[in-house]
Amino acid sequence: GEDVEQSLFLSVREGDSSVINCTYTDSSSTYLYWYKQEPGAGLQLLTYIFSNMDMKQDQRLTVLLNKKDKHLSLRIADTQTGDSAIYFCAEREDSNYQLIWGAGTKLIIKP
Amino acid sequence: ETGVTQTPRHLVMGMTNKKSLKCEQHLGHNAMYWYKQSAKKPLELMFVYNFKEQTENNSVPSRFSPECPNSSHLFLHLHTLQPEDSALYLCASSQDGTTSGGLGELFFGEGSRLTVL
């Protein structure tokens, strides 16, 4: 079945760039998403990308999509302490529009 | 009122208890969802309601019983749970669960942390 995989942890120094990676299996997905979950909170949509795009930039966030390798990445420039959170990658099944989720990557910021 | 509100935030129950989780959304959405979040595992979709009708039930054990009396409210009734059911239960809503053209953004509540003893 469909599967979304991502590393469980990423540790970066404050001010550095963070790159969170994700691989997915459903090549027909129209949308791919990054959701952010801050401590004690629910998930919130951070950004998304259409499957016909290679890159999307939004202020400090850059999403890269490699459809051939089914690889999605989220780059956060100038990582701040407020970026500490769990970042979930998800793809949307075009058959029933439900999301398939990764396990989340916990971003740890070192001073 | 915040977008999606869940109560209680924390719940501890024994295996023989009966309890309920409540979710309310103030966004005028038509679809509501229950997800189970366990550490180091992908989010598990449990139930989907679209215009008050259940459209998804992902092989969830019958000890979890959802109820959707209207488009703004969603309940998850719990009975005879097992310790492995301990998790964070997240409620979410979206404009339309079956949209074909829209982004389909999900709006989540803060979750109900359930501990089964």
mmCIF file of all heavy atoms in Angstrom, chain A residues 3-4 8-9 31 33 35 37 40-45 48 86 88 92 96-99 101-104, chain B residues 9 33 35 37 40-43 45 48 56 88 90 97-106 108-110:
data_model
loop_
_atom_site.group_PDB
_atom_site.id
_atom_site.type_symbol
_atom_site.label_atom_id
_atom_site.label_comp_id
_atom_site.label_asym_id
_atom_site.label_seq_id
_atom_site.Cartn_x
_atom_site.Cartn_y
_atom_site.Cartn_z
ATOM 1 N N ASP A 3 2.742 4.550 1.253
ATOM 2 C CA ASP A 3 3.560 4.753 2.428
ATOM 3 C C ASP A 3 4.276 6.077 2.301
ATOM 4 O O ASP A 3 4.693 6.453 1.199
ATOM 5 C CB ASP A 3 4.569 3.613 2.535
ATOM 6 C CG ASP A 3 5.041 3.402 3.955
ATOM 7 O OD1 ASP A 3 4.473 4.044 4.855
ATOM 8 O OD2 ASP A 3 5.960 2.605 4.159
ATOM 9 N N VAL A 4 4.406 6.785 3.407
ATOM 10 C CA VAL A 4 5.168 8.025 3.448
ATOM 11 C C VAL A 4 6.199 7.870 4.548
ATOM 12 O O VAL A 4 5.844 7.532 5.684
ATOM 13 C CB VAL A 4 4.249 9.225 3.736
ATOM 14 C CG1 VAL A 4 5.068 10.485 3.925
ATOM 15 C CG2 VAL A 4 3.239 9.411 2.601
ATOM 16 N N LEU A 8 12.796 10.420 12.009
ATOM 17 C CA LEU A 8 12.067 10.800 13.214
ATOM 18 C C LEU A 8 12.637 12.054 13.881
ATOM 19 O O LEU A 8 11.913 12.774 14.562
ATOM 20 C CB LEU A 8 12.065 9.641 14.206
ATOM 21 C CG LEU A 8 11.260 8.413 13.797
ATOM 22 C CD1 LEU A 8 11.367 7.334 14.867
ATOM 23 C CD2 LEU A 8 9.802 8.760 13.528
ATOM 24 N N PHE A 9 13.934 12.303 13.706
ATOM 25 C CA PHE A 9 14.562 13.433 14.396
ATOM 26 C C PHE A 9 15.525 14.164 13.467
ATOM 27 O O PHE A 9 16.129 13.569 12.584
ATOM 28 C CB PHE A 9 15.359 12.955 15.625
ATOM 29 C CG PHE A 9 14.528 12.284 16.673
ATOM 30 C CD1 PHE A 9 14.439 10.904 16.719
ATOM 31 C CD2 PHE A 9 13.838 13.031 17.615
ATOM 32 C CE1 PHE A 9 13.676 10.278 17.678
ATOM 33 C CE2 PHE A 9 13.066 12.409 18.583
ATOM 34 C CZ PHE A 9 12.994 11.028 18.620
ATOM 35 N N TYR A 31 -1.527 16.725 -4.595
ATOM 36 C CA TYR A 31 -1.013 17.637 -3.586
ATOM 37 C C TYR A 31 -0.096 16.891 -2.625
ATOM 38 O O TYR A 31 -0.360 15.740 -2.249
ATOM 39 C CB TYR A 31 -2.155 18.216 -2.742
ATOM 40 C CG TYR A 31 -3.047 19.211 -3.435
ATOM 41 C CD1 TYR A 31 -4.211 18.796 -4.072
ATOM 42 C CD2 TYR A 31 -2.745 20.564 -3.414
ATOM 43 C CE1 TYR A 31 -5.044 19.705 -4.682
ATOM 44 C CE2 TYR A 31 -3.583 21.483 -4.017
ATOM 45 C CZ TYR A 31 -4.721 21.054 -4.651
ATOM 46 O OH TYR A 31 -5.542 21.959 -5.241
ATOM 47 N N TYR A 33 1.935 17.867 1.145
ATOM 48 C CA TYR A 33 1.797 18.865 2.208
ATOM 49 C C TYR A 33 2.909 18.725 3.249
ATOM 50 O O TYR A 33 3.453 17.635 3.473
ATOM 51 C CB TYR A 33 0.478 18.658 2.965
ATOM 52 C CG TYR A 33 -0.771 18.591 2.127
ATOM 53 C CD1 TYR A 33 -1.155 17.408 1.504
ATOM 54 C CD2 TYR A 33 -1.608 19.693 1.992
ATOM 55 C CE1 TYR A 33 -2.317 17.327 0.755
ATOM 56 C CE2 TYR A 33 -2.777 19.619 1.259
ATOM 57 C CZ TYR A 33 -3.123 18.435 0.649
ATOM 58 O OH TYR A 33 -4.278 18.358 -0.086
ATOM 59 N N TYR A 35 2.816 19.726 7.296
ATOM 60 C CA TYR A 35 2.096 20.229 8.462
ATOM 61 C C TYR A 35 3.089 20.349 9.618
ATOM 62 O O TYR A 35 4.026 19.560 9.739
ATOM 63 C CB TYR A 35 0.968 19.269 8.862
ATOM 64 C CG TYR A 35 -0.320 19.440 8.102
ATOM 65 C CD1 TYR A 35 -0.463 18.943 6.798
ATOM 66 C CD2 TYR A 35 -1.414 20.078 8.674
ATOM 67 C CE1 TYR A 35 -1.654 19.094 6.102
ATOM 68 C CE2 TYR A 35 -2.608 20.228 7.996
ATOM 69 C CZ TYR A 35 -2.719 19.740 6.710
ATOM 70 O OH TYR A 35 -3.907 19.891 6.033
ATOM 71 N N GLN A 37 3.450 20.669 13.884
ATOM 72 C CA GLN A 37 2.803 20.479 15.182
ATOM 73 C C GLN A 37 3.722 20.994 16.268
ATOM 74 O O GLN A 37 4.758 20.393 16.580
ATOM 75 C CB GLN A 37 2.482 19.004 15.434
ATOM 76 C CG GLN A 37 1.723 18.771 16.739
ATOM 77 C CD GLN A 37 1.427 17.297 16.982
ATOM 78 O OE1 GLN A 37 2.205 16.437 16.622
ATOM 79 N NE2 GLN A 37 0.284 17.011 17.602
ATOM 80 N N GLY A 40 2.210 20.508 22.419
ATOM 81 C CA GLY A 40 0.902 20.681 23.048
ATOM 82 C C GLY A 40 -0.188 21.200 22.127
ATOM 83 O O GLY A 40 -1.269 21.588 22.594
ATOM 84 N N ALA A 41 0.059 21.188 20.846
ATOM 85 C CA ALA A 41 -0.906 21.744 19.907
ATOM 86 C C ALA A 41 -1.273 20.729 18.830
ATOM 87 O O ALA A 41 -0.616 19.695 18.682
ATOM 88 C CB ALA A 41 -0.328 23.001 19.254
ATOM 89 N N GLY A 42 -2.320 21.034 18.088
ATOM 90 C CA GLY A 42 -2.675 20.215 16.938
ATOM 91 C C GLY A 42 -1.809 20.568 15.742
ATOM 92 O O GLY A 42 -0.948 21.440 15.805
ATOM 93 N N LEU A 43 -2.035 19.874 14.652
ATOM 94 C CA LEU A 43 -1.264 20.132 13.443
ATOM 95 C C LEU A 43 -1.818 21.349 12.715
ATOM 96 O O LEU A 43 -3.019 21.621 12.751
ATOM 97 C CB LEU A 43 -1.323 18.917 12.499
ATOM 98 C CG LEU A 43 -0.447 17.722 12.834
ATOM 99 C CD1 LEU A 43 -0.956 16.969 14.040
ATOM 100 C CD2 LEU A 43 -0.335 16.801 11.629
ATOM 101 N N GLN A 44 -0.914 22.034 12.011
ATOM 102 C CA GLN A 44 -1.309 23.208 11.245
ATOM 103 C C GLN A 44 -0.618 23.145 9.889
ATOM 104 O O GLN A 44 0.585 22.840 9.816
ATOM 105 C CB GLN A 44 -0.870 24.462 12.007
ATOM 106 C CG GLN A 44 -1.459 25.753 11.519
ATOM 107 C CD GLN A 44 -1.165 26.872 12.508
ATOM 108 O OE1 GLN A 44 -0.260 26.778 13.326
ATOM 109 N NE2 GLN A 44 -1.933 27.937 12.426
ATOM 110 N N LEU A 45 -1.372 23.422 8.839
ATOM 111 C CA LEU A 45 -0.766 23.396 7.504
ATOM 112 C C LEU A 45 0.310 24.472 7.406
ATOM 113 O O LEU A 45 0.058 25.650 7.646
ATOM 114 C CB LEU A 45 -1.828 23.624 6.429
ATOM 115 C CG LEU A 45 -1.320 23.603 4.988
ATOM 116 C CD1 LEU A 45 -0.753 22.233 4.630
ATOM 117 C CD2 LEU A 45 -2.428 23.982 4.019
ATOM 118 N N TYR A 48 2.376 23.697 1.051
ATOM 119 C CA TYR A 48 1.998 22.574 0.202
ATOM 120 C C TYR A 48 2.591 22.822 -1.177
ATOM 121 O O TYR A 48 3.062 23.926 -1.481
ATOM 122 C CB TYR A 48 0.479 22.446 0.104
ATOM 123 C CG TYR A 48 -0.173 23.619 -0.594
ATOM 124 C CD1 TYR A 48 -0.437 23.594 -1.963
ATOM 125 C CD2 TYR A 48 -0.495 24.778 0.115
ATOM 126 C CE1 TYR A 48 -1.008 24.676 -2.601
ATOM 127 C CE2 TYR A 48 -1.064 25.855 -0.516
ATOM 128 C CZ TYR A 48 -1.324 25.812 -1.872
ATOM 129 O OH TYR A 48 -1.884 26.882 -2.494
ATOM 130 N N ILE A 86 7.219 19.265 15.463
ATOM 131 C CA ILE A 86 7.231 18.041 14.655
ATOM 132 C C ILE A 86 6.660 18.407 13.296
ATOM 133 O O ILE A 86 5.596 19.044 13.218
ATOM 134 C CB ILE A 86 6.409 16.916 15.303
ATOM 135 C CG1 ILE A 86 6.944 16.606 16.697
ATOM 136 C CG2 ILE A 86 6.455 15.667 14.432
ATOM 137 C CD1 ILE A 86 6.113 15.582 17.458
ATOM 138 N N PHE A 88 5.223 17.099 9.730
ATOM 139 C CA PHE A 88 4.620 15.937 9.088
ATOM 140 C C PHE A 88 4.529 16.164 7.581
ATOM 141 O O PHE A 88 4.029 17.195 7.122
ATOM 142 C CB PHE A 88 3.206 15.692 9.627
ATOM 143 C CG PHE A 88 3.168 15.176 11.030
ATOM 144 C CD1 PHE A 88 3.153 16.055 12.105
ATOM 145 C CD2 PHE A 88 3.130 13.809 11.280
ATOM 146 C CE1 PHE A 88 3.104 15.588 13.410
ATOM 147 C CE2 PHE A 88 3.085 13.326 12.582
ATOM 148 C CZ PHE A 88 3.074 14.218 13.647
ATOM 149 N N ARG A 92 -1.864 13.344 -0.738
ATOM 150 C CA ARG A 92 -3.301 13.129 -0.802
ATOM 151 C C ARG A 92 -3.614 12.110 -1.885
ATOM 152 O O ARG A 92 -3.235 12.268 -3.041
ATOM 153 C CB ARG A 92 -4.044 14.431 -1.081
ATOM 154 C CG ARG A 92 -5.561 14.297 -0.917
ATOM 155 C CD ARG A 92 -6.262 15.599 -1.067
ATOM 156 N NE ARG A 92 -6.411 15.981 -2.457
ATOM 157 C CZ ARG A 92 -7.152 17.015 -2.857
ATOM 158 N NH1 ARG A 92 -7.778 17.749 -1.961
ATOM 159 N NH2 ARG A 92 -7.243 17.312 -4.131
ATOM 160 N N ASN A 96 -9.681 8.927 -3.053
ATOM 161 C CA ASN A 96 -10.684 9.277 -2.034
ATOM 162 C C ASN A 96 -10.345 10.554 -1.288
ATOM 163 O O ASN A 96 -11.026 10.908 -0.328
ATOM 164 C CB ASN A 96 -10.859 8.128 -1.037
ATOM 165 C CG ASN A 96 -9.578 7.818 -0.266
ATOM 166 O OD1 ASN A 96 -8.585 8.546 -0.381
ATOM 167 N ND2 ASN A 96 -9.572 6.753 0.495
ATOM 168 N N TYR A 97 -9.293 11.257 -1.735
ATOM 169 C CA TYR A 97 -8.899 12.559 -1.196
ATOM 170 C C TYR A 97 -8.478 12.507 0.261
ATOM 171 O O TYR A 97 -8.436 13.531 0.937
ATOM 172 C CB TYR A 97 -10.013 13.596 -1.403
ATOM 173 C CG TYR A 97 -10.522 13.592 -2.811
ATOM 174 C CD1 TYR A 97 -11.822 13.197 -3.094
ATOM 175 C CD2 TYR A 97 -9.688 13.921 -3.876
ATOM 176 C CE1 TYR A 97 -12.281 13.158 -4.393
ATOM 177 C CE2 TYR A 97 -10.139 13.872 -5.177
ATOM 178 C CZ TYR A 97 -11.445 13.501 -5.429
ATOM 179 O OH TYR A 97 -11.896 13.438 -6.719
ATOM 180 N N GLN A 98 -8.166 11.338 0.764
ATOM 181 C CA GLN A 98 -7.671 11.237 2.127
ATOM 182 C C GLN A 98 -6.146 11.354 2.131
ATOM 183 O O GLN A 98 -5.468 11.022 1.153
ATOM 184 C CB GLN A 98 -8.107 9.916 2.764
ATOM 185 C CG GLN A 98 -9.598 9.752 2.864
ATOM 186 C CD GLN A 98 -10.278 10.928 3.548
ATOM 187 O OE1 GLN A 98 -9.730 11.551 4.462
ATOM 188 N NE2 GLN A 98 -11.484 11.256 3.101
ATOM 189 N N LEU A 99 -5.632 11.832 3.244
ATOM 190 C CA LEU A 99 -4.190 12.054 3.360
ATOM 191 C C LEU A 99 -3.481 10.813 3.888
ATOM 192 O O LEU A 99 -3.989 10.120 4.778
ATOM 193 C CB LEU A 99 -3.900 13.229 4.291
ATOM 194 C CG LEU A 99 -4.461 14.582 3.893
ATOM 195 C CD1 LEU A 99 -3.885 15.664 4.783
ATOM 196 C CD2 LEU A 99 -4.154 14.889 2.441
ATOM 197 N N TRP A 101 -0.043 9.924 5.775
ATOM 198 C CA TRP A 101 0.873 10.701 6.605
ATOM 199 C C TRP A 101 2.179 9.959 6.864
ATOM 200 O O TRP A 101 2.205 8.742 6.974
ATOM 201 C CB TRP A 101 0.224 11.002 7.963
ATOM 202 C CG TRP A 101 -1.000 11.827 7.888
ATOM 203 C CD1 TRP A 101 -2.275 11.393 7.684
ATOM 204 C CD2 TRP A 101 -1.084 13.239 8.039
ATOM 205 N NE1 TRP A 101 -3.139 12.459 7.693
ATOM 206 C CE2 TRP A 101 -2.438 13.602 7.913
ATOM 207 C CE3 TRP A 101 -0.135 14.255 8.277
ATOM 208 C CZ2 TRP A 101 -2.874 14.926 8.007
ATOM 209 C CZ3 TRP A 101 -0.564 15.561 8.377
ATOM 210 C CH2 TRP A 101 -1.920 15.893 8.237
ATOM 211 N N GLY A 102 3.235 10.738 7.036
ATOM 212 C CA GLY A 102 4.459 10.216 7.596
ATOM 213 C C GLY A 102 4.373 10.236 9.116
ATOM 214 O O GLY A 102 3.379 10.704 9.687
ATOM 215 N N ALA A 103 5.417 9.718 9.761
ATOM 216 C CA ALA A 103 5.428 9.632 11.225
ATOM 217 C C ALA A 103 5.853 10.943 11.883
ATOM 218 O O ALA A 103 5.778 11.073 13.102
ATOM 219 C CB ALA A 103 6.347 8.512 11.676
ATOM 220 N N GLY A 104 6.304 11.883 11.079
ATOM 221 C CA GLY A 104 6.714 13.171 11.641
ATOM 222 C C GLY A 104 8.192 13.221 11.973
ATOM 223 O O GLY A 104 8.759 12.237 12.442
ATOM 224 N N ARG B 9 -8.929 17.657 27.454
ATOM 225 C CA ARG B 9 -7.567 17.652 26.940
ATOM 226 C C ARG B 9 -6.808 16.419 27.425
ATOM 227 O O ARG B 9 -5.918 15.924 26.738
ATOM 228 C CB ARG B 9 -6.822 18.906 27.381
ATOM 229 C CG ARG B 9 -7.358 20.195 26.782
ATOM 230 C CD ARG B 9 -7.103 20.280 25.267
ATOM 231 N NE ARG B 9 -5.728 20.001 24.905
ATOM 232 C CZ ARG B 9 -4.741 20.899 24.934
ATOM 233 N NH1 ARG B 9 -4.985 22.142 25.313
ATOM 234 N NH2 ARG B 9 -3.508 20.560 24.569
ATOM 235 N N TYR B 33 -13.165 14.725 11.186
ATOM 236 C CA TYR B 33 -12.305 13.545 11.201
ATOM 237 C C TYR B 33 -11.847 13.220 12.621
ATOM 238 O O TYR B 33 -11.629 14.127 13.426
ATOM 239 C CB TYR B 33 -11.025 13.795 10.391
ATOM 240 C CG TYR B 33 -11.217 14.340 8.998
ATOM 241 C CD1 TYR B 33 -11.576 15.670 8.785
ATOM 242 C CD2 TYR B 33 -11.001 13.533 7.880
ATOM 243 C CE1 TYR B 33 -11.736 16.169 7.501
ATOM 244 C CE2 TYR B 33 -11.155 14.030 6.596
ATOM 245 C CZ TYR B 33 -11.516 15.351 6.420
ATOM 246 O OH TYR B 33 -11.666 15.845 5.146
ATOM 247 N N TYR B 35 -8.503 11.269 14.206
ATOM 248 C CA TYR B 35 -7.203 10.660 13.961
ATOM 249 C C TYR B 35 -6.626 10.169 15.287
ATOM 250 O O TYR B 35 -6.858 10.767 16.333
ATOM 251 C CB TYR B 35 -6.203 11.686 13.410
ATOM 252 C CG TYR B 35 -6.292 11.953 11.927
ATOM 253 C CD1 TYR B 35 -7.065 13.001 11.440
ATOM 254 C CD2 TYR B 35 -5.568 11.189 11.019
ATOM 255 C CE1 TYR B 35 -7.121 13.275 10.078
ATOM 256 C CE2 TYR B 35 -5.614 11.449 9.651
ATOM 257 C CZ TYR B 35 -6.385 12.495 9.198
ATOM 258 O OH TYR B 35 -6.445 12.763 7.857
ATOM 259 N N GLN B 37 -2.952 9.613 17.092
ATOM 260 C CA GLN B 37 -1.529 9.914 16.972
ATOM 261 C C GLN B 37 -0.757 9.178 18.062
ATOM 262 O O GLN B 37 -0.929 9.446 19.248
ATOM 263 C CB GLN B 37 -1.261 11.416 17.095
ATOM 264 C CG GLN B 37 0.207 11.774 16.904
ATOM 265 C CD GLN B 37 0.502 13.253 17.000
ATOM 266 O OE1 GLN B 37 -0.363 14.059 17.365
ATOM 267 N NE2 GLN B 37 1.713 13.636 16.681
ATOM 268 N N LYS B 40 6.058 8.173 17.136
ATOM 269 C CA LYS B 40 6.893 7.535 16.116
ATOM 270 C C LYS B 40 6.101 6.734 15.095
ATOM 271 O O LYS B 40 6.662 5.882 14.402
ATOM 272 C CB LYS B 40 7.961 6.646 16.765
ATOM 273 C CG LYS B 40 8.849 7.396 17.737
ATOM 274 C CD LYS B 40 9.859 6.481 18.388
ATOM 275 C CE LYS B 40 10.670 7.220 19.436
ATOM 276 N NZ LYS B 40 11.633 6.344 20.136
ATOM 277 N N LYS B 41 4.809 6.995 14.987
ATOM 278 C CA LYS B 41 3.978 6.321 13.986
ATOM 279 C C LYS B 41 3.258 7.357 13.156
ATOM 280 O O LYS B 41 2.974 8.459 13.635
ATOM 281 C CB LYS B 41 2.931 5.431 14.661
ATOM 282 C CG LYS B 41 3.482 4.199 15.343
ATOM 283 C CD LYS B 41 2.320 3.364 15.854
ATOM 284 C CE LYS B 41 2.777 2.065 16.466
ATOM 285 N NZ LYS B 41 1.625 1.243 16.946
ATOM 286 N N PRO B 42 2.929 7.018 11.907
ATOM 287 C CA PRO B 42 2.122 7.955 11.111
ATOM 288 C C PRO B 42 0.762 8.182 11.749
ATOM 289 O O PRO B 42 0.249 7.309 12.459
ATOM 290 C CB PRO B 42 1.974 7.224 9.769
ATOM 291 C CG PRO B 42 3.082 6.240 9.733
ATOM 292 C CD PRO B 42 3.311 5.831 11.149
ATOM 293 N N LEU B 43 0.207 9.336 11.476
ATOM 294 C CA LEU B 43 -1.166 9.583 11.910
ATOM 295 C C LEU B 43 -2.085 8.527 11.319
ATOM 296 O O LEU B 43 -2.002 8.211 10.134
ATOM 297 C CB LEU B 43 -1.643 10.949 11.434
ATOM 298 C CG LEU B 43 -1.150 12.183 12.171
ATOM 299 C CD1 LEU B 43 -1.730 13.433 11.540
ATOM 300 C CD2 LEU B 43 -1.518 12.127 13.632
ATOM 301 N N LEU B 45 -5.827 7.613 10.365
ATOM 302 C CA LEU B 45 -7.192 8.065 10.167
ATOM 303 C C LEU B 45 -8.145 7.010 10.711
ATOM 304 O O LEU B 45 -8.043 5.829 10.372
ATOM 305 C CB LEU B 45 -7.466 8.313 8.689
ATOM 306 C CG LEU B 45 -8.873 8.750 8.321
ATOM 307 C CD1 LEU B 45 -9.211 10.103 8.929
ATOM 308 C CD2 LEU B 45 -9.048 8.786 6.807
ATOM 309 N N VAL B 48 -14.229 9.374 9.170
ATOM 310 C CA VAL B 48 -14.517 10.610 8.463
ATOM 311 C C VAL B 48 -16.024 10.763 8.373
ATOM 312 O O VAL B 48 -16.732 9.811 8.029
ATOM 313 C CB VAL B 48 -13.933 10.613 7.034
ATOM 314 C CG1 VAL B 48 -14.248 11.934 6.328
ATOM 315 C CG2 VAL B 48 -12.434 10.373 7.061
ATOM 316 N N GLU B 56 -15.851 7.169 5.974
ATOM 317 C CA GLU B 56 -14.653 6.343 6.133
ATOM 318 C C GLU B 56 -14.663 5.714 7.515
ATOM 319 O O GLU B 56 -14.988 6.372 8.500
ATOM 320 C CB GLU B 56 -13.363 7.158 5.996
ATOM 321 C CG GLU B 56 -13.071 7.701 4.627
ATOM 322 C CD GLU B 56 -12.431 6.692 3.694
ATOM 323 O OE1 GLU B 56 -11.891 5.683 4.175
ATOM 324 O OE2 GLU B 56 -12.488 6.918 2.473
ATOM 325 N N LEU B 88 -2.759 10.126 21.597
ATOM 326 C CA LEU B 88 -3.370 11.449 21.419
ATOM 327 C C LEU B 88 -4.412 11.321 20.319
ATOM 328 O O LEU B 88 -4.099 10.883 19.217
ATOM 329 C CB LEU B 88 -2.311 12.484 21.036
ATOM 330 C CG LEU B 88 -2.797 13.926 20.874
ATOM 331 C CD1 LEU B 88 -3.228 14.504 22.222
ATOM 332 C CD2 LEU B 88 -1.706 14.800 20.251
ATOM 333 N N LEU B 90 -6.830 13.155 17.844
ATOM 334 C CA LEU B 90 -6.970 14.453 17.205
ATOM 335 C C LEU B 90 -8.245 14.509 16.385
ATOM 336 O O LEU B 90 -8.556 13.589 15.629
ATOM 337 C CB LEU B 90 -5.783 14.716 16.275
ATOM 338 C CG LEU B 90 -4.430 14.925 16.934
ATOM 339 C CD1 LEU B 90 -3.322 14.859 15.899
ATOM 340 C CD2 LEU B 90 -4.378 16.262 17.652
ATOM 341 N N GLY B 97 -14.938 17.013 2.674
ATOM 342 C CA GLY B 97 -14.081 15.829 2.674
ATOM 343 C C GLY B 97 -13.910 15.185 1.329
ATOM 344 O O GLY B 97 -13.035 14.367 1.138
ATOM 345 N N THR B 98 -14.735 15.524 0.354
ATOM 346 C CA THR B 98 -14.638 14.827 -0.924
ATOM 347 C C THR B 98 -14.360 15.777 -2.074
ATOM 348 O O THR B 98 -14.619 15.471 -3.210
ATOM 349 C CB THR B 98 -15.941 14.071 -1.226
ATOM 350 O OG1 THR B 98 -17.011 15.020 -1.231
ATOM 351 C CG2 THR B 98 -16.196 13.008 -0.181
ATOM 352 N N THR B 99 -13.805 16.939 -1.758
ATOM 353 C CA THR B 99 -13.554 17.909 -2.809
ATOM 354 C C THR B 99 -12.546 17.374 -3.808
ATOM 355 O O THR B 99 -11.599 16.685 -3.460
ATOM 356 C CB THR B 99 -13.046 19.229 -2.206
ATOM 357 O OG1 THR B 99 -12.908 20.197 -3.239
ATOM 358 C CG2 THR B 99 -11.709 19.047 -1.517
ATOM 359 N N SER B 100 -12.740 17.689 -5.037
ATOM 360 C CA SER B 100 -11.814 17.211 -6.056
ATOM 361 C C SER B 100 -10.850 18.303 -6.497
ATOM 362 O O SER B 100 -9.791 18.026 -7.009
ATOM 363 C CB SER B 100 -12.579 16.704 -7.268
ATOM 364 O OG SER B 100 -13.365 17.747 -7.798
ATOM 365 N N GLY B 101 -11.228 19.545 -6.272
ATOM 366 C CA GLY B 101 -10.374 20.599 -6.797
ATOM 367 C C GLY B 101 -9.674 21.422 -5.748
ATOM 368 O O GLY B 101 -8.700 22.072 -6.023
ATOM 369 N N GLY B 102 -10.195 21.395 -4.535
ATOM 370 C CA GLY B 102 -9.641 22.278 -3.526
ATOM 371 C C GLY B 102 -8.405 21.708 -2.857
ATOM 372 O O GLY B 102 -8.046 20.559 -3.039
ATOM 373 N N LEU B 103 -7.794 22.548 -2.058
ATOM 374 C CA LEU B 103 -6.588 22.163 -1.331
ATOM 375 C C LEU B 103 -6.877 21.095 -0.300
ATOM 376 O O LEU B 103 -6.035 20.259 -0.010
ATOM 377 C CB LEU B 103 -5.989 23.402 -0.666
ATOM 378 C CG LEU B 103 -4.763 23.203 0.217
ATOM 379 C CD1 LEU B 103 -3.613 22.619 -0.598
ATOM 380 C CD2 LEU B 103 -4.342 24.535 0.829
ATOM 381 N N GLY B 104 -8.089 21.123 0.268
ATOM 382 C CA GLY B 104 -8.444 20.124 1.267
ATOM 383 C C GLY B 104 -7.714 20.305 2.576
ATOM 384 O O GLY B 104 -7.423 19.335 3.274
ATOM 385 N N GLU B 105 -7.425 21.551 2.937
ATOM 386 C CA GLU B 105 -6.676 21.802 4.172
ATOM 387 C C GLU B 105 -7.448 21.297 5.375
ATOM 388 O O GLU B 105 -8.655 21.540 5.521
ATOM 389 C CB GLU B 105 -6.404 23.290 4.329
ATOM 390 C CG GLU B 105 -5.624 23.640 5.591
ATOM 391 C CD GLU B 105 -5.327 25.125 5.709
ATOM 392 O OE1 GLU B 105 -5.689 25.875 4.783
ATOM 393 O OE2 GLU B 105 -4.749 25.526 6.735
ATOM 394 N N LEU B 106 -6.739 20.609 6.252
ATOM 395 C CA LEU B 106 -7.313 20.130 7.506
ATOM 396 C C LEU B 106 -6.989 21.112 8.618
ATOM 397 O O LEU B 106 -5.875 21.628 8.703
ATOM 398 C CB LEU B 106 -6.746 18.761 7.867
ATOM 399 C CG LEU B 106 -7.130 17.592 6.966
ATOM 400 C CD1 LEU B 106 -6.356 16.344 7.357
ATOM 401 C CD2 LEU B 106 -8.617 17.319 7.043
ATOM 402 N N PHE B 108 -6.919 21.263 12.676
ATOM 403 C CA PHE B 108 -6.884 20.330 13.789
ATOM 404 C C PHE B 108 -7.170 21.005 15.120
ATOM 405 O O PHE B 108 -6.820 22.174 15.340
ATOM 406 C CB PHE B 108 -5.495 19.683 13.896
ATOM 407 C CG PHE B 108 -5.230 18.630 12.863
ATOM 408 C CD1 PHE B 108 -4.773 18.964 11.595
ATOM 409 C CD2 PHE B 108 -5.427 17.288 13.159
ATOM 410 C CE1 PHE B 108 -4.531 17.997 10.640
ATOM 411 C CE2 PHE B 108 -5.172 16.300 12.215
ATOM 412 C CZ PHE B 108 -4.731 16.655 10.955
ATOM 413 N N GLY B 109 -7.782 20.228 16.027
ATOM 414 C CA GLY B 109 -7.840 20.619 17.424
ATOM 415 C C GLY B 109 -6.528 20.273 18.116
ATOM 416 O O GLY B 109 -5.611 19.714 17.503
ATOM 417 N N GLU B 110 -6.445 20.614 19.396
ATOM 418 C CA GLU B 110 -5.208 20.378 20.146
ATOM 419 C C GLU B 110 -5.084 18.940 20.628
ATOM 420 O O GLU B 110 -4.031 18.537 21.101
ATOM 421 C CB GLU B 110 -5.138 21.340 21.328
ATOM 422 C CG GLU B 110 -5.000 22.789 20.881
ATOM 423 C CD GLU B 110 -4.993 23.747 22.061
ATOM 424 O OE1 GLU B 110 -5.711 23.497 23.041
ATOM 425 O OE2 GLU B 110 -4.249 24.753 21.994
#
